[in-house]
Amino acid sequence: MLIAVSGGIDSMVLVHLLHHLKLNISVAHCNFNLRSGESDGDETFVNSECNHYNIKLFVNHFETKEYADLHKLSIQVAARQLRYDWFNEVLEKEGFDYVLTAHHLDDSIETFLINFTRGTGLEGLTGIPQQNGKIIRPLLIFSRKEIENYAKENDIKWREDSSNASDKYLRNTLRHNVIPIFKELNPGFSDAFQQTLENLQQAHSMVDDASRIVYRKVVEDVNYQKRINLTELMVLPNYQAYLYQWLKPFGFTAWNDIYDLVAAQSGKQVFSEHYRLLKDRNELILAEKNELESEIFPVYEDKENLNVPLKITVCNKGDISLEQKGCIFVDKDTLKFPLTFRKWEEGDYFYPSGMNGKKKLSKYFKDEKYSLIDKENVRILCSENEVVWIVGKRADRRFLANETTQTIIKIELK
């Protein structure tokens, strides 16, 4: 096990406990270079204690402020990202099974209150999880007071972080000014709160179970999209709770807009940073934001086409199969190379295979009940701006190979 050790009282108690249990442990220490000489003093102290315990130590130095400025993050969020990314690297490289941190009950109470003051769902009121993948927090059942008592009884050394005394951060304000009031009102506050957290965790687990059952009835996963059937959804008296549960992991925050989307007209959308939710007829469609390419990519006959997902090969008539999906067989003599691969545009038309006459792509999409997202994802292959293939969907009959074709070309999706 790899133990995350800052040098503070919590992590030094954790090291002491695990060492005396004779477990196979090493220590990881982050120097975030945020407190000038104090940060270096913490590193020196942790190194000294690891030598005392004869424990292997891993140290990493971070330029935390520069990282936070570059990625537009708060110092706390930047430090969290840096340390957990590094812990995972060490874990994988050195073959550790778990990373252990020294979070305790008071940390969980503070996290509850922070989320509570900012607005959250049930998952934000369940405190810090005891285990999250390979991250384990074995001290979560103990209060800060119990840890302090243990440290004093066992003469454990630790370093005080001067920033913990400042009320600059919300967590410290709650720790110094709010939580003591609760403890004064109820001396058994910590135990009562722990029971409350356990009740909330059980309720959250029950909600997850119900959410998964309803999800299977209401949501269909299709081609990297999630399609929410509104007919099925709207029979549920608490449908908004299910939408929240399903969509929260995708970064949405405008919940009133999402709930209004259910009754909105087709084409209305709500966005998160990386995803969109689209109302389309009787569905809500969740998909990644599509950063549409504006380029027109050339497609050559005799070289690798690196920018397009197509493969072109010369074949024989015996190779032609109407059963093959994701490919077309065309008459080379009808093509003018280089072909072009691009997104469709208003006014594009083609001569659909198996039909008479021509058809606008917009009319084809309407007949096929394409959503806005489906249409945005369409790419077409053209010969001198004449549509050869709605890629992966429908071919233009003017270019298809027939019994008189001299040279047959197979164009397929890679």
Side-chain angles (χ1 to χ4, degrees):
M1 293 175 288
L2 183 67
I3 317 302
V5 176
S6 65
I9 186 171
D10 312 322
S11 59
M12 295 313 301
V13 164
L14 182 57
V15 170
H16 182 272
L17 285 166
L18 297 175
H19 175 72
H20 281 274
L21 287 171
K22 302 187 186 309
L23 297 176
N24 184 8
I25 62 173
S26 296
V27 163
H29 175 76
C30 300
N31 186 331
F32 293 109
N33 289 305
L34 290 172
R35 292 175 292 119
S36 187
E38 275 192 60
S39 294
D40 294 335
D42 291 345
E43 180 184 332
T44 300
F45 170 74
V46 171
N47 183 59
S48 173
E49 290 300 295
C50 285
N51 287 334
H52 170 71
Y53 286 119
N54 194 26
I55 297 173
K56 185 174 182 180
L57 171 65
F58 298 87
V59 176
N60 200 353
H61 291 245
F62 301 100
E63 297 303 326
T64 311
K65 190 175 186 310
E66 288 80 350
Y67 180 89
D69 292 342
L70 178 64
H71 296 277
K72 295 180 173 58
L73 302 171
S74 69
I75 291 294
Q76 302 99 308
V77 172
R80 187 181 306 120
Q81 285 187 7
L82 287 169
R83 71 171 170 267
Y84 280 108
D85 285 349
W86 178 56
F87 291 161
N88 287 324
E89 287 176 18
V90 176
L91 186 146
E92 185 174 343
K93 182 179 179 181
E94 302 294 334
F96 290 102
D97 295 303
Y98 298 101
V99 174
L100 272 59
T101 72
H103 292 92
H104 49 71
L105 179 58
D106 287 69
D107 291 321
S108 216
I109 294 172
E110 291 160 11
T111 298
F112 172 98
L113 292 173
I114 288 170
N115 292 337
F116 181 76
T117 59
R118 291 173 175 170
T120 184
L122 184 57
E123 74 284 353
L125 302 178
T126 56
I128 300 171
Q130 190 125 27
Q131 181 168 355
N132 184 9
K134 294 190 174 184
I135 308 295
I136 298 178
R137 303 174 178 94
L139 299 185
L140 273 181
I141 60 172
F142 301 110
S143 69
R144 178 177 284 110
K145 186 64 176 176
E146 288 174 307
I147 290 172
E148 289 174 353
N149 290 340
Y150 180 88
K152 292 172 183 176
E153 289 169 5
N154 291 275
D155 295 320
I156 296 172
K157 300 176 184 177
W158 71 86
R159 292 267 297 180
E160 289 288 354
D161 183 341
S162 62
S163 66
N164 287 336
S166 168
D167 284 346
K168 175 182 177 182
Y169 302 116
L170 175 59
R171 183 174 292 274
N172 287 356
T173 299
L174 294 170
R175 181 181 303 165
H176 298 149
N177 304 309
V178 177
I179 295 175
I181 296 175
F182 287 121
K183 291 182 177 180
E184 183 179 335
L185 292 170
N186 177 13
F189 172 74
S190 294
D191 291 338
F193 201 93
Q194 184 175 11
Q195 184 60 57
T196 298
L197 285 179
E198 289 176 6
N199 294 338
L200 288 169
Q201 288 163 3
Q202 291 175 5
H204 188 240
S205 177
M206 184 172 63
V207 168
D208 280 344
D209 291 341
S211 177
R212 282 192 289 269
I213 292 170
V214 175
Y215 181 96
R216 289 194 289 268
K217 296 179 180 179
V218 176
V219 185
E220 184 181 11
D221 293 300
V222 182
N223 296 331
Y224 305 103
Q225 299 176 8
K226 296 184 184 298
R227 293 175 174 260
I228 302 172
N229 186 311
L230 292 178
T231 301
E232 297 284 349
L233 179 72
M234 295 302 289
V235 299
L236 303 170
N238 51 348
Y239 73 87
Q240 293 182 349
Y242 288 103
L243 284 177
Y244 179 90
Q245 194 75 5
W246 296 334
L247 299 174
K248 185 71 166 63
F250 299 95
F252 289 98
T253 56
W255 295 109
N256 288 334
D257 291 342
I258 287 175
Y259 302 147
D260 291 343
L261 204 59
V262 169
Q265 64 188 65
S266 289
K268 293 288 186 181
Q269 301 182 77
V270 177
F271 296 90
S272 68
E273 183 178 0
H274 299 293
Y275 291 88
R276 64 163 73 178
L277 187 67
L278 166 72
K279 170 68 180 294
D280 182 66
R281 302 178 182 87
N282 197 39
E283 292 181 322
L284 295 181
I285 302 175
L286 175 70
E288 289 189 54
K289 278 184 181 177
N290 194 357
E291 302 298 335
L292 293 176
E293 306 99 329
S294 58
E295 297 91 347
I296 298 176
F297 296 107
V299 179
Y300 298 96
E301 173 191 0
D302 55 354
K303 62 175 68 172
E304 185 75 12
N305 298 289
L306 298 177
N307 293 317
V308 300
L310 299 177
K311 179 182 178 183
I312 297 178
T313 54
V314 176
C315 63
N316 300 316
K317 289 184 179 180
D319 297 324
I320 296 179
S321 170
L322 298 177
E323 301 300 321
Q324 292 190 38
K325 294 183 178 180
C327 74
I328 58 172
F329 296 89
V330 297
D331 187 333
K332 179 184 176 184
D333 293 336
T334 64
L335 302 175
K336 298 288 191 286
F337 283 95
L339 307 178
T340 55
F341 180 90
R342 62 174 173 84
K343 67 173 185 173
W344 77 282
E345 299 172 354
E346 286 291 342
D348 283 332
Y349 66 90
F350 76 131
Y351 292 77
S353 58
M355 291 178 57
N356 294 322
K358 68 179 182 179
K359 194 172 197 176
K360 282 190 174 182
L361 266 62
S362 57
K363 180 66 165 61
Y364 169 77
F365 297 147
K366 183 177 180 180
D367 292 346
E368 295 294 320
K369 294 183 167 55
Y370 274 35
S371 71
L372 175 63
I373 294 173
D374 293 332
K375 288 187 284 187
E376 288 182 354
N377 286 330
V378 165
R379 296 296 180 269
I380 59 175
L381 184 67
C382 298
S383 174
E384 290 191 332
N385 219 33
E386 297 285 338
V387 176
V388 176
W389 189 22
I390 302 175
V391 177
K393 302 297 181 182
R394 194 75 171 266
D396 187 305
R397 67 173 182 271
R398 294 172 296 172
F399 300 94
L400 291 178
N402 55 46
E403 62 277 0
T404 65
T405 299
Q406 299 298 311
T407 305
I408 299 172
I409 286 181
K410 179 181 180 182
I411 304 176
E412 59 186 320
L413 282 166
K414 291 180 183 177

